[in-house]
Amino acid sequence: PWSSTGVEGVNRFLNRVWRMIVDDSGNLSDEVQDVGLNADQDYTLNFTIKKVQEDIENMSFNTAVSQMMIFVNEFTKAKIKPLEAMKKFVICLSPFAPHIAEELWRILGEKESIVFAEWAKYDANKTVKQAIEFVVQVSSKIRARIELPTGSSEDAVKAAALEDEQVQKYIDGKEIRKVIFVPNKLINFIV
């Protein structure tokens, strides 16, 4: 059944998408430039394409929209927004918001309708984060966050965590009774 609840949220999201690409005068924003993507942007773009594609196939539309919101949050923060990323994002958005996607497609410089555009392709190797932020806890209280390669061993994470100044403050002079390690998430020193 139709319900108008939640329409404001959708409107806010689409306004954020619009402002990410279009300036106040209705032209392509100066922030959208034909430049390469950095590693974080590359991951976010490829993961978004993969997630939206899979979610459409599985009819999990809410999670597809959620991932698109994550994309918009990440790219809105960027001072320079790569043109390629914006085009691929608009292709992903088009099944959900075809009218605004068509407008954005034209503003991005495309002449032919977005309905004739090929679905965005993603690189499977770039859908996995190369580095993960590990949470370091001492007696179950967060004391630091360290970035290490995905899949780092317990010994590597432990060594890096023990070198951190914040962690040393809370461990110094105390005996470590137990170490709890959750791969790719956290390490907790019980003192």
Side-chain angles (χ1 to χ4, degrees), residues 29-42:
S29 172
D30 292 338
E31 293 179 350
V32 177
Q33 298 177 11
D34 195 5
V35 295
L37 287 79
N38 66 35
D40 287 338
Q41 290 174 334
D42 218 5

Side-chain angles (χ1 to χ4, degrees), residues 10 13-18 20-21 48-49 52 56 64-65 68-69 71-72 86-105 114 119-120:
V10 173
F13 168 65
L14 291 176
N15 281 332
R16 289 190 71 213
V17 170
W18 184 265
M20 179 175 70
I21 298 172
T48 298
I49 296 168
V52 170
I56 288 172
V65 171
M68 286 188 284
M69 289 177 174
F71 177 95
V72 171
M86 296 301 106
K87 286 182 178 180
K88 288 182 177 182
F89 173 76
V90 170
I91 290 171
C92 291
L93 178 69
S94 65
F96 299 89
H99 297 93
I100 195 170
E102 187 70 45
E103 289 269 336
L104 291 169
W105 192 243
I114 195 167
W119 185 257

Side-chain angles (χ1 to χ4, degrees), residues 19-168:
R19 288 190 310 269
M20 179 175 70
I21 298 172
V22 180
D23 65 15
D24 292 336
S25 62
N27 298 315
L28 184 63
S29 172
D30 292 338
E31 293 179 350
V32 177
Q33 298 177 11
D34 195 5
V35 295
L37 287 79
N38 66 35
D40 287 338
Q41 290 174 334
D42 218 5
Y43 164 77
T44 302
L45 174 64
N46 282 282
F47 187 77
T48 298
I49 296 168
K50 178 180 189 263
K51 180 90 171 112
V52 170
Q53 180 177 326
E54 289 173 355
D55 287 350
I56 288 172
E57 290 168 0
N58 296 324
M59 297 176 130
S60 300
F61 306 121
N62 286 348
T63 53
V65 171
S66 174
Q67 182 58 42
M68 286 188 284
M69 289 177 174
I70 291 168
F71 177 95
V72 171
N73 289 341
E74 289 298 314
F75 278 83
T76 298
K77 293 178 208 169
K79 296 280 184 227
I80 302 296
K81 296 157 182 66
L83 181 64
E84 172 196 359
M86 296 301 106
K87 286 182 178 180
K88 288 182 177 182
F89 173 76
V90 170
I91 290 171
C92 291
L93 178 69
S94 65
F96 299 89
H99 297 93
I100 195 170
E102 187 70 45
E103 289 269 336
L104 291 169
W105 192 243
R106 299 289 176 157
I107 291 168
L108 286 166
E110 295 297 324
K111 303 288 182 237
E112 199 171 65
S113 174
I114 195 167
V115 297
F116 298 115
E118 186 178 332
W119 185 257
K121 303 250 185 289
Y122 64 89
D123 182 344
N125 295 327
K126 294 179 180 177
T127 60
V128 178
K129 279 203 168 207
Q130 301 302 314
I132 301 257
E133 185 179 70
F134 283 85
V135 172
V136 182
Q137 297 179 331
V138 177
S139 297
S140 300
K141 291 186 177 145
I142 297 174
R143 299 302 181 190
R145 295 175 190 276
I146 54 174
E147 194 163 300
L148 294 169
T150 303
S152 292
S153 68
E154 179 176 350
D155 292 336
V157 175
K158 184 176 179 181
L162 289 173
E163 288 176 12
D164 189 276
E165 291 176 19
Q166 286 297 104
V167 175
Q168 286 177 355

